[in-house]
Amino acid sequence: MASLPVLVTALLATSTWATPILSANINIGSSLNVDVDLKGVTSTLKSLFEPNTIPNITTSRCKVYPGDAAWPSDDAWTQLNDLSGGRLIADPTPLAAVCYPDQPGYDAARCASYTTSEWQRSYMHMHDPIEMLSPVAQGMTCLPPNLFDSQGCSRGGFPKYVMNATEPKHVQLAVNFARNTGVRLIVKNTGHDFLGKSGGKDALSIWTHWMKDIEYIEQYTDSELGYSGPVFKSGTGVQAFEIYKAAHEKGRIVVGGEGETVGVMGGYIQGGGHSPLTGLYGTGADNVLAFEAVTADGEFVVANSTSNTDLFWALRGGGGSTFAVATSVTVRAHADLEVTASRFGFSSAQTGNETFWAAIRSYVDSWVANADAGTYTYWTLIPTNGTFAFAFSPFFAPGKSKKEATALLQPWFSQLNELGVEFDPNITHFDHYYDAWRSSFPLEAVQKPNVATGSRLFPRGNFETAEKRQELFEHIKTSSEKNRVQVHFNMQAKDPAGGDNAVNSHWRPMVSFSMQSVRWPINSTAEQILKIRKDFQDVDMQSWRDISPGAGGYLAEADRMEPNFGDAFWGDKYPKLLELKKRLDPYDVFFATTGVGSERWKVESIDGLPNENGKLCRVESA
Ligand SMILES: Cc1cc2nc3c(=O)[nH]c(=O)nc-3n(C[C@H](O)[C@H](O)[C@H](O)COP(=O)(O)OP(=O)(O)OC[C@H]3O[C@@H](n4cnc5c(N)ncnc54)[C@H](O)[C@@H]3O)c2cc1C
Ligand SMILES: *[C@@H]1O[C@H](CO)[C@@H](O)[C@H](O)[C@H]1NC(C)=O
Ligand SMILES: *[C@@H]1O[C@H](CO)[C@@H](O)[C@H](O)[C@H]1NC(C)=O
Ligand SMILES: *[C@@H]1O[C@H](CO)[C@@H](O)[C@H](O)[C@H]1NC(C)=O
Ligand SMILES: *[C@@H]1O[C@H](CO)[C@@H](O)[C@H](O)[C@H]1NC(C)=O
Ligand SMILES: *[C@@H]1O[C@H](CO)[C@@H](O)[C@H](O)[C@H]1NC(C)=O
Ligand SMILES: *[C@@H]1O[C@H](CO)[C@@H](O)[C@H](O)[C@H]1NC(C)=O
Ligand SMILES: *[C@@H]1O[C@H](CO)[C@@H](O)[C@H](O)[C@H]1NC(C)=O
């Protein structure tokens, strides 16, 4: 542990640390001043709730944890609960705690209902204050033993307190309390993040799930962003299925994820966010006109094209849990449109290996045309015991008639026919986007406890010549033969209509957002898992990186072990984002693993694996 003077010097020595203390508030143009009334609070506790403080940075190397002298007293936590009107959840238990006789709330019958299908439905987890869809990143400390070879149940990488926030002032309370006490702060919306960025051992969590207001505004004008038209102002807890339904009722659509339960107004939109509409209207973040947010100072502000413009830029793509906690987002509403979609599959069990791979090879030839046409294809390549399964899950063509979509697919379908592949493309036309979305995409599952996923945004350069397409195909095939599960999204991310923002610059030349996953035996030891995951990065992912030099990955669907994540997840936006992080959050109140500026900290996990089950501590050299 660093001695006190050394640490303080290290923090203040560089100019990047010295400036923000003076300038932290300069950028905060207008504050909405939802002040928390501290009148009844005793003078000893009052300082824990004040906004705009410079935190006491003479605490330890790590954030403050239970057992530390600086850990807030019970009275302090009680006061936090009281000030929020009783919205603080203390000592939340993992869902699977009901399976363990030594846990409070043990309930064998309820545990028995956690069959694979029930447990893996994302609906079950999204309503829980702490559960994440990435058990591997949580630290796997409490899983249903009837499904997994589980060792027991403890809270692990889950938080110790949860602020069930429904209003900005609940968020302000938690932010101020965390900044003033040094307790680790996290933000959880649905918990969908692949890397576990909505978790954190013994943290104070702001749970945004219940900020569900949706307001439709028929006419909104922002001349800076060149927009005049209808918008939705949405609470940040609103999910895909909710906003799509609300939009449908107004004859509108909004850019959001394909996944039904994704928190499209939370981490999704701050991280960029791809959508079945991305080929037409860009990423989720490109469609944002304004945020309301609580800053690291605890101020409640508007960030838009004229107010807090740096924050507005950073929140559009810079990643969640990094610059502020957003409480609402105002997004463009587009006119509803027709859609044609196709779902089908074939397998090497029917075709034999040679024909199967010829079919995949010929498919690669159509990706650029499909992307240019604004279509979005979610397709999978799954190896099982030496056979390979391909599926369109689906091909999705917004704004296209059945005839237009069929014409687009025809060149490849002709090749499939020539190869003798039997398939039934089931090309279906829908009058409304909402109906097309609902019948076309699967309800996705919680991640398995033995999987890590890496991603790559393959740019146009990978498709320019037949040789390049052959090279990409061979790498995809090799990954399959090595038993990697693959999910690809063939699309383009149109340039932002609203001008520059912090969305990863690697999205723009992209034709395929591609993912592969490594799986390990469920009973592997930590050392075995680490070795497998390192090899996955060094070999499988590296081979994809080698053929796409200068490209990147997607920060929300990626591996915690992604090397050079700053460049991979933000491209040429990273230097400016780093500068803004130091200015807007000079004391690192916010942190997310692989987030902007996260190089300064590390979760020191108990088992040495990349997960949230450990203390968050400073990296001395960073
Ligand atoms: C089944 C499934 C389907 C998916 N489909 C898509 C898809 O179609 N397109 C796509 O682009 N991605 C998709 N994703 C990835 C998804 O975008 C990310 O998981 C994203 O992080 C989800 O945001 P969330 O707020 O729901 O999740 P969370 O895990 O709760 O949050 C993600 C991150 O954002 C932070 N955060 C959340 N809300 C706020 C807020 N209000 N203010 C500040 N920080 C906040 C959290 O702290 C965390 O760091 C999918 C993921 C899954 C598991
Ligand atoms: C700052 O931290 C030190 C060491 O934990 C403690 O002695 C001091 O009282 C703290 N100051 C404030 C204002 O909380
Ligand atoms: C969180 O708040 C919402 C909205 O008030 C409420 O419906 C829900 O029951 C709360 N959840 C928990 C776990 O306290
Ligand atoms: C941006 O926010 C400010 C502060 O709330 C507001 O005055 C201004 O009208 C907003 N801009 C637009 C285009 O709505
Ligand atoms: C794959 O093969 C293994 C070993 O032969 C077998 O146990 C398993 O059931 C097979 N899986 C499938 C999906 O066929
Ligand atoms: C197809 O290829 C896989 C390896 O890539 C092999 O395991 C399998 O046996 C092959 N199937 C046939 C029928 O040759
Ligand atoms: C074709 O797709 C539509 C829409 O997804 C579905 O309703 C229909 O059942 C499918 N038909 C077949 C034969 O699978
Ligand atoms: C995991 O289980 C397999 C099959 O039962 C066994 O061969 C292997 O030794 C086990 N590995 C560990 C690390 O326990």
Side-chain angles (χ1 to χ4, degrees):
M1 206 170 279
S3 70
L4 192 97
V6 172
L7 184 59
V8 173
T9 313
L11 285 173
L12 299 176
T14 61
S15 58
T16 42
W17 271 98
T19 2
I21 295 171
L22 302 171
S23 62
N25 292 322
I26 289 173
N27 187 47
I28 304 304
S30 67
S31 158
L32 299 178
N33 290 322
V34 179
D35 288 328
V36 176
D37 185 359
L38 297 180
K39 263 185 227 115
V41 182
T42 61
S43 56
T44 39
L45 293 181
K46 207 164 188 170
S47 65
L48 305 182
F49 300 96
E50 299 282 6
N52 287 307
T53 54
I54 293 175
N56 188 349
I57 54 171
T58 63
T59 47
S60 67
R61 187 175 68 88
C62 304
K63 294 272 179 176
V64 173
Y65 286 94
D68 293 350
W71 181 252
S73 64
D74 289 351
D75 284 352
W77 290 108
T78 301
Q79 186 69 74
L80 178 61
N81 183 45
D82 290 349
L83 285 170
S84 69
R87 305 205 64 85
L88 190 68
I89 303 166
D91 294 317
T93 45
L95 274 177
V98 296
C99 298
Y100 294 86
D102 64 341
Q103 292 293 312
Y106 171 64
D107 183 342
R110 188 144 164 244
C111 177
S113 77
Y114 293 169
T115 60
T116 314
S117 58
E118 186 59 27
W119 179 259
Q120 289 189 339
R121 288 178 77 231
S122 45
Y123 275 93
M124 180 167 172
H125 296 261
M126 78 193 196
H127 283 315
D128 187 85
I130 57 173
E131 285 289 337
M132 295 139 65
L133 276 71
S134 48
V136 170
Q138 183 275 337
M140 304 241 295
T141 65
C142 191
L143 291 168
N146 54 339
L147 299 182
F148 310 109
D149 183 19
S150 179
Q151 305 304 310
C153 177
S154 63
R155 201 181 298 116
F158 289 130
K160 186 162 170 62
Y161 288 94
V162 177
M163 179 63 78
N164 186 0
T166 54
E167 291 174 39
K169 78 170 182 193
H170 303 144
V171 177
Q172 289 179 295
L173 274 167
V175 167
N176 287 332
F177 189 82
R179 189 187 62 256
N180 290 326
T181 59
V183 167
R184 182 173 176 197
L185 184 71
I186 62 172
V187 182
K188 187 211 158 186
N189 186 24
T190 62
H192 274 62
D193 186 78
F194 274 37
L195 304 88
K197 287 179 286 189
S198 36
K201 184 180 182 59
D202 287 332
L204 166 59
S205 174
I206 297 171
W207 187 31
T208 57
H209 181 63
W210 293 104
M211 298 211 252
K212 293 285 192 190
D213 291 344
I214 298 177
E215 186 189 348
Y216 178 64
I217 302 165
E218 186 75 49
Q219 182 55 42
Y220 181 99
T221 302
D222 187 323
S223 43
E224 291 284 319
L225 299 177
Y227 186 73
S228 183
V231 299
F232 283 94
K233 181 180 177 187
S234 167
T236 47
V238 169
Q239 291 167 274
F241 69 97
E242 294 164 326
I243 192 71
Y244 293 167
K245 184 162 186 288
H248 180 59
E249 283 161 9
K250 299 285 180 192
R252 303 286 173 192
I253 54 179
V254 298
V255 175
E258 51 80 18
E260 197 169 316
T261 55
V262 174
V264 291
M265 298 298 163
Y268 166 90
I269 209 157
Q270 289 187 34
H274 64 83
S275 163
L277 294 168
T278 287
L280 300 181
Y281 303 125
T283 65
D286 296 338
N287 285 269
V288 176
L289 295 158
F291 289 95
E292 287 174 317
V294 174
T295 66
D297 289 325
E299 295 278 353
F300 181 49
V301 303
V302 170
N304 65 13
S305 67
T306 54
S307 182
N308 301 300
T309 52
D310 283 346
L311 182 60
F312 182 51
W313 185 85
L315 287 176
R316 285 176 299 157
S321 197
T322 304
F323 298 98
V325 182
T327 58
S328 83
V329 194
T330 300
V331 296
R332 290 164 196 245
H334 302 276
D336 191 12
L337 36 70
E338 65 179 327
V339 174
T340 299
S342 166
R343 290 179 65 92
F344 75 95
F346 55 84
S347 145
S348 69
Q350 319 151 223
T351 63
N353 281 340
E354 204 179 318
T355 302
F356 182 86
W357 290 118
I360 303 298
R361 171 64 193 89
S362 64
Y363 178 39
V364 178
D365 288 339
S366 63
W367 292 2
V368 169
N370 287 348
D372 285 345
T375 65
Y376 178 86
T377 313
Y378 173 169
W379 69 275
T380 57
L381 188 51
I382 299 176
T384 314
N385 286 354
T387 69
F388 305 96
F390 166 90
F392 259 7
S393 191
F395 164 87
F396 196 85
K400 297 259 181 284
S401 66
K402 184 166 180 174
K403 199 170 158 214
E404 289 166 329
T406 306
L408 202 55
L409 291 166
Q410 202 49 55
W412 183 42
F413 285 176
S414 300
Q415 302 228 38
L416 291 183
N417 288 331
E418 269 172 41
L419 289 165
V421 176
E422 282 177 32
F423 67 106
D424 173 10
N426 189 2
I427 300 174
T428 306
H429 180 266
F430 301 85
D431 290 336
H432 302 289
Y433 177 84
Y434 184 65
D435 300 329
W437 168 76
R438 283 214 307 176
S439 28
S440 301
F441 292 98
L443 174 64
E444 289 137 321
V446 172
Q447 288 175 53
K448 301 211 164 50
N450 60 332
V451 168
T453 299
S455 67
R456 198 75 185 152
L457 301 165
F458 287 113
R460 279 171 194 269
N462 284 99
F463 302 85
E464 266 161 8
T465 61
E467 289 72 30
K468 283 284 181 193
R469 295 192 293 276
Q470 178 68 20
E471 180 185 55
L472 177 61
F473 158 72
E474 277 166 11
H475 281 73
I476 289 172
K477 179 167 179 259
T478 300
S479 289
S480 278
E481 287 170 347
K482 291 185 66 186
N483 206 27
R484 307 295 172 246
V485 171
Q486 294 179 60
V487 174
H488 299 257
F489 290 86
N490 172 206
M491 65 174 137
Q492 66 171 347
K494 284 269 296 189
D495 281 348
D500 186 46
N501 58 34
V503 172
N504 189 350
S505 55
H506 298 305
W507 276 110
R508 306 302 171 189
M510 181 251 338
V511 167
S512 179
F513 163 46
S514 296
M515 287 179 270
Q516 59 176 330
S517 301
V518 67
R519 298 174 282 188
W520 50 87
I522 204 89
N523 63 347
S524 307
T525 63
E527 296 82 78
Q528 289 167 335
I529 295 170
L530 199 57
K531 167 112 183 35
I532 289 166
R533 295 191 59 174
K534 276 195 172 132
D535 287 349
F536 174 63
Q537 276 301 333
D538 293 348
V539 181
D540 303 296
M541 283 307 298
Q542 193 55 43
S543 83
W544 283 21
R545 285 190 285 264
D546 285 344
I547 58 161
S548 56
Y554 175 30
L555 66 92
E557 300 181 297
D559 187 353
R560 281 172 85 103
M561 293 172 75
E562 174 77 32
N564 304 320
F565 63 81
D567 178 67
F569 296 162
W570 290 282
D572 61 22
K573 308 295 166 79
Y574 200 55
K576 180 171 172 186
L577 282 166
L578 267 180
E579 195 190 305
L580 288 177
K581 171 69 176 174
K582 285 176 181 163
R583 187 141 58 83
L584 298 171
D585 182 18
Y587 314 114
D588 286 341
V589 176
F590 304 119
F591 169 87
T593 289
T594 69
V596 173
S598 62
E599 302 87 344
R600 293 192 283 277
W601 297 84
K602 187 178 187 332
V603 179
E604 298 182 348
S605 74
I606 289 164
D607 59 9
L609 289 171
N611 62 48
E612 289 296 337
N613 187 15
K615 291 185 179 182
L616 179 62
C617 300
R618 292 178 207 274
V619 175
E620 302 279 332
S621 57

